[in-house]
Amino acid sequence: MPHVARAASPRHGSRLGERLRQLRVSAGLTQSDLAGDRFSKEYVSQIERGKTRPTQETVEWLALRLGVDPNFLASGVSADERTRVEAVIARAESLTEARAFDDAIVEFDGVRKAVAATGAPELEARSLTGEGWARLMRGETREALKMFERVRAIVEEPSFSDIDRAEVLFRLGACRFQLSSVATAVALFDESLRLAMASPLPSDLLRARILAWRSRCRQRQRDWEAAREDVEIALELAEGLNDRRGLAHIYVQASIIAEREGHWVLARSYAERAKAFFEELSDRSSVGVLLNNLGGLQFLLGKPDEAVRFLKDSFSVALEAGEDVEAGRAVSSLAQVHLRTGKPELAEEQARQALQLLDGRVDHLDEIGNAQLVLGRSLLDQSRLDEAESMLDVAEKTLEQLESASHSAAAWVAKGDLAQARGDEAGAAKLYRRAAEALQDFRF
């Protein structure tokens, strides 16, 4: 965020005036002595009473006369203290980059009062943005959303750039996507991209991130062509920047799109590239995610034993990293493999374990719905029809929150199978037709 020079509020001006008076008295100077030949005694009095806010040049001149740091006179915080605050923020940002979200939040929380004391809106915006992203990645989506809304108000000041505003809109879009408000997320990403592209400031990194996240929205909306176009442009931008972490995440999205379009070998190739990047970055958590994706692809390629091996490795990595969501995702995938290979009892056990690990994560409704669907189908395969019906109803309600026709269609197909198991051919046909109209595609 850029440095901001803005008129202070009356309260802030009063604090500056109070400091000026205290420093003047301590120095044994009268208002006339301090004013010298440059100002009138009355002007100094107005500053001390908070009736006027001096320019930065005046603050620097007064500070020189008093022998103090201009930053301390202006805000009560010395240049050394501001440097310390900036260092803490930078350390917290690096912890977020390393996926140490809990530690990052502790750092941001610890420096909050010091940031406020600087009176610097660019530091406040940077701190809120960093903490908000760490909270979003930790699953505290609504808390993150509130922080980004506060940043959005700060960066509306004319001293901030369109890139600053685009950055905030991008992060708001990510929150909305995690809350399954896909249409709102797309609108935010579109506006963010428009601002970034119109700005004369460099924005390739931000544009790559916007496009990668917007691609996820397009996937949810089943607009595969648009999703692929966004990923292709994002890859080109990330490659130009040699942004290896960005490339890794974008290759993940490219793999998912290729899988959905039935190009499983290509999808595996993209997933392997992403995994290699994450290994170079020593990002074990993300490696675990890719092991899960590769496990699903091995199953689709007719290699169930290989799939189980990858998925068990993914589960182990997630547990070691303390990543409950990723552990839940891996065991949910294992449940799907066992369901499809005729082991419904084991699938039931693993689906229940996945739901325990994913409990309360509203930012991962897709995984929760997947696990509920597998659990319902495993109960159906064991002829526990009433239990299956109850669970499939729950899965349908979860998946319909995603604004994704393909996810809802998967629930309707499962309920059609249940109706058929009960001999209700007409009910089954109705559900199958409903699913067919919405499109039956559903990610492994």
Side-chain angles (χ1 to χ4, degrees):
M1 297 285 181
H3 177 70
V4 179
R6 62 173 180 175
S9 66
R11 183 182 174 196
H12 187 82
S14 298
R15 290 200 298 269
L16 184 152
E18 291 165 6
R19 278 191 298 278
L20 181 64
R21 184 183 64 79
Q22 291 168 358
L23 290 166
R24 176 181 60 76
V25 171
S26 296
L29 300 174
T30 65
Q31 290 178 340
S32 295
D33 292 336
L34 181 59
D37 296 332
R38 181 159 180 163
F39 304 114
S40 67
K41 169 187 174 182
E42 288 73 22
Y43 181 63
V44 173
S45 176
Q46 285 183 335
I47 296 173
E48 289 186 353
R49 288 182 291 131
K51 298 298 184 180
T52 188
R53 169 73 174 175
T55 64
Q56 181 63 28
E57 181 183 2
T58 299
V59 170
E60 291 173 358
W61 186 86
L62 291 169
L64 180 64
R65 294 272 289 174
L66 293 167
V68 299
D69 186 285
N71 288 296
F72 177 76
L73 178 57
S75 64
V77 177
S78 68
D80 287 345
E81 176 62 13
R82 178 179 170 122
T83 299
R84 187 193 72 81
V85 170
E86 290 176 331
V88 174
I89 293 174
R91 184 166 62 248
E93 290 169 338
S94 68
L95 287 168
T96 299
E97 188 73 7
R99 296 183 61 84
F101 304 125
D102 292 348
D103 293 338
I105 289 169
V106 169
E107 292 281 356
F108 281 120
D109 185 61
V111 80
R112 187 174 291 127
K113 289 183 179 178
V115 168
T118 67
E122 73 275 11
L123 290 184
E124 182 182 9
R126 183 178 166 190
S127 180
L128 283 168
T129 298
E131 182 176 353
W133 195 253
R135 291 190 181 279
L136 175 64
M137 294 297 101
R138 197 169 70 169
E140 299 172 14
T141 309
R142 296 194 183 280
E143 291 81 355
L145 187 62
K146 292 176 184 177
M147 290 184 168
F148 294 141
E149 289 289 4
R150 287 168 60 189
V151 179
R152 187 178 191 177
I154 293 171
V155 301
E156 284 305 310
E157 296 185 12
S159 48
F160 285 88
S161 72
D162 278 345
I163 292 296
D164 297 322
R165 298 181 188 95
E167 183 78 44
V168 178
L169 291 174
F170 157 63
R171 293 173 191 267
L172 284 167
C175 286
R176 290 300 180 185
F177 176 80
Q178 294 293 69
L179 292 171
S180 298
S181 298
V182 179
T184 301
V186 169
L188 287 164
F189 291 141
D190 286 349
E191 179 61 13
S192 176
L193 189 61
R194 185 191 69 77
L195 287 172
M197 293 181 70
S199 173
L201 297 173
S203 64
D204 284 0
L205 180 60
L206 175 58
R207 286 166 56 203
R209 290 175 176 173
I210 295 167
L211 289 163
W213 276 79
R214 192 174 71 176
S215 175
R216 298 171 71 179
C217 295
R218 300 303 191 200
Q219 293 168 44
R220 189 72 62 82
Q221 295 173 325
R222 283 196 35 76
D223 189 347
W224 303 113
E225 183 175 354
R228 187 172 59 256
E229 288 175 357
D230 278 353
V231 160
E232 288 171 353
I233 298 171
L235 276 174
E236 183 178 345
L237 291 167
E239 286 170 351
L241 295 164
N242 195 27
D243 177 16
R244 304 183 82 73
R245 184 173 294 278
L247 280 167
H249 285 292
I250 296 166
Y251 272 124
V252 171
Q253 298 306 312
S255 176
I256 292 170
I257 294 167
E259 175 197 327
R260 293 291 185 89
E261 293 184 322
H263 306 305
W264 297 335
V265 174
L266 178 61
R268 184 175 62 185
S269 174
Y270 285 146
E272 287 170 344
R273 290 188 210 178
K275 178 173 171 286
F277 279 127
F278 284 129
E279 286 173 339
E280 286 181 21
L281 295 164
S282 300
D283 187 342
R284 287 287 291 162
S285 295
S286 296
V287 169
V289 173
L290 267 299
L291 288 169
N292 181 27
N293 292 5
L294 284 164
L297 289 165
Q298 293 287 54
F299 182 81
L300 292 172
L301 289 165
K303 301 178 180 180
D305 292 340
E306 283 292 296
V308 168
R309 182 175 65 82
F310 273 103
L311 295 172
K312 285 183 176 179
D313 286 347
S314 174
F315 181 67
S316 297
V317 169
L319 287 183
E320 290 170 9
E323 297 274 1
D324 284 355
V325 168
E326 298 309 330
R329 194 193 306 270
V331 77
S332 178
S333 295
L334 274 169
Q336 290 191 54
V337 170
H338 288 127
L339 176 67
R340 297 186 191 189
T341 53
K343 301 172 184 175
E345 295 84 358
L346 184 54
E348 177 191 352
E349 177 185 339
Q350 290 172 333
R352 292 190 187 280
Q353 183 181 7
L355 289 171
Q356 288 178 347
L357 290 164
L358 295 164
D359 186 45
R361 293 301 299 262
V362 295
D363 53 327
H364 289 282
L365 289 175
D366 53 343
E367 290 301 328
I368 292 172
N370 285 355
Q372 290 168 341
L373 198 57
V374 171
L375 178 54
R377 281 195 169 279
S378 69
L379 294 168
L380 173 58
D381 285 0
Q382 295 175 67
S383 299
R384 293 155 62 183
L385 304 187
D386 290 343
E387 293 175 74
E389 180 178 19
S390 177
M391 183 50 59
L392 292 177
D393 284 343
V394 172
E396 181 182 9
K397 290 178 181 177
T398 300
L399 294 171
E400 69 183 9
Q401 296 177 59
L402 296 174
E403 300 181 11
S404 167
S406 59
H407 284 79
S408 294
W412 298 330
V413 169
K415 294 182 80 171
D417 292 346
L418 173 64
Q420 195 168 52
R422 283 181 162 155
D424 181 5
E425 297 293 341
K430 182 178 179 181
L431 285 161
Y432 292 148
R433 280 197 300 272
R434 186 181 182 188
E437 289 169 0
L439 170 57
Q440 307 147 358
D441 165 283
F442 187 55
R443 181 168 177 257
F444 177 85

